[in-house]
Amino acid sequence: MVEKVYVTYNEVHKLCQASADQILEEFKPNLMIAIGGGGYVPARILRSFLKRHSAPNIPIQAIGLSLYEQLPSSNPSNPVETPGTKVTRTQWLDLSSLEMANLVGKNILIVDEVDDTRTTLEYAVKELQKDVQTAAEEAGSDQTTQFSIFVLHNKDKTKKGHLPLDMMEDGRYLAARTVSDVWICYPWEATDIDEHDKLAASQSTY
């Protein structure tokens, strides 16, 4: 039986708030890329805490990647999901527009909700680096684009995916919280938010 942990919007808000100063000081992002669908809400909350007086809001762009697949369950109201083996693009940046060229030379913060197998994060970093490099070459730019990562939760487990060595050595990866290998239920996945919050209130601290 997979242990489920229920996370509330309030907890997500506080995790973003607790991480914001470190992100500003160490990553200095001027653009965020949210991985959908789990990265959308944390990125938007985080933007409020990264905002500084007289400075513009940090823009948020989005990509959609899918790795999880739903498996048959004996209880239809309690489906079980498991990490898949292949990353599928459901949304990506428009390589033919200024959208990609605008990433060149930026400090880009990639935001997702959870680092489980690391497969999705590895795919996102590799593909974005490749596309930005292409855009830089087409623009004749030698500016350095630097990627960093923020996740709400990192699962303490052996990872299938790998992130660039320089990213890890430079400390450009931040998880607000490291947890055991549990199934994390986020509030934006809930169809009954009151029931979700009730389950969250009844559980012990994870």
Side-chain angles (χ1 to χ4, degrees):
M1 184 75 175
V2 179
E3 179 186 358
K4 289 190 173 184
V5 171
Y6 293 84
V7 177
T8 66
Y9 280 113
N10 191 46
E11 289 169 330
V12 171
H13 196 93
K14 289 181 177 180
L15 289 175
C16 291
Q17 182 178 20
S19 304
D21 285 346
Q22 183 177 348
I23 290 171
L24 272 174
E25 181 179 344
E26 298 179 9
F27 300 165
K28 299 178 174 59
N30 38 40
L31 188 145
M32 284 190 280
I33 295 180
I35 299 179
Y40 296 155
V41 174
R44 177 57 190 90
I45 294 173
L46 190 60
R47 187 173 76 167
S48 295
F49 292 114
L50 297 179
K51 177 78 166 66
R52 288 299 175 258
H53 180 68
S54 76
N57 276 315
I58 296 176
I60 300 174
Q61 296 192 19
I63 58 175
L65 299 175
S66 177
L67 180 66
Y68 286 84
E69 58 185 7
Q70 190 165 299
L71 299 180
S73 171
S74 57
N75 182 359
S77 66
N78 189 31
V80 176
E81 289 186 335
T82 186
T85 57
K86 181 181 178 181
V87 177
T88 302
R89 287 192 190 190
T90 57
Q91 177 183 341
W92 200 254
L93 304 177
D94 184 356
L95 305 184
S96 64
S97 72
L98 290 175
E99 191 173 52
M100 184 57 67
N102 286 339
L103 303 186
V104 176
K106 298 292 196 305
N107 292 332
I108 300 172
L109 180 65
I110 299 171
V111 181
D112 206 359
E113 87 276 45
V114 63
D115 180 0
D116 190 337
T117 64
R118 198 161 283 175
T119 307
T120 300
L121 288 173
E122 178 188 43
Y123 181 93
V125 172
K126 281 185 176 180
E127 293 300 302
L128 286 168
Q129 284 179 329
K130 182 170 39 175
D131 290 345
V132 168
Q133 179 62 34
T134 299
E137 290 173 358
E138 290 178 352
S141 173
D142 59 358
Q143 297 181 84
T144 299
T145 303
Q146 184 163 273
F147 290 93
S148 54
I149 289 173
F150 171 71
V151 295
L152 296 173
H153 299 98
N154 170 46
K155 293 188 181 181
D156 187 11
K157 60 190 286 187
T158 301
K159 306 295 187 183
K160 295 180 180 178
H162 302 280
L163 296 172
L165 185 60
D166 65 320
M167 174 182 284
M168 303 306 287
E169 289 181 343
D170 293 346
R172 288 184 281 117
Y173 170 94
L174 175 63
R177 182 172 294 177
T178 296
V179 299
S180 59
D181 190 14
V182 295
W183 187 261
I184 304 174
C185 302
Y186 291 98
W188 47 84
E189 299 167 344
T191 54
D192 185 335
I193 194 61
D194 291 328
E195 178 65 17
H196 178 94
D197 287 349
K198 187 184 300 181
L199 290 167
S202 68
Q203 69 190 7
S204 57
T205 303
Y206 65 98

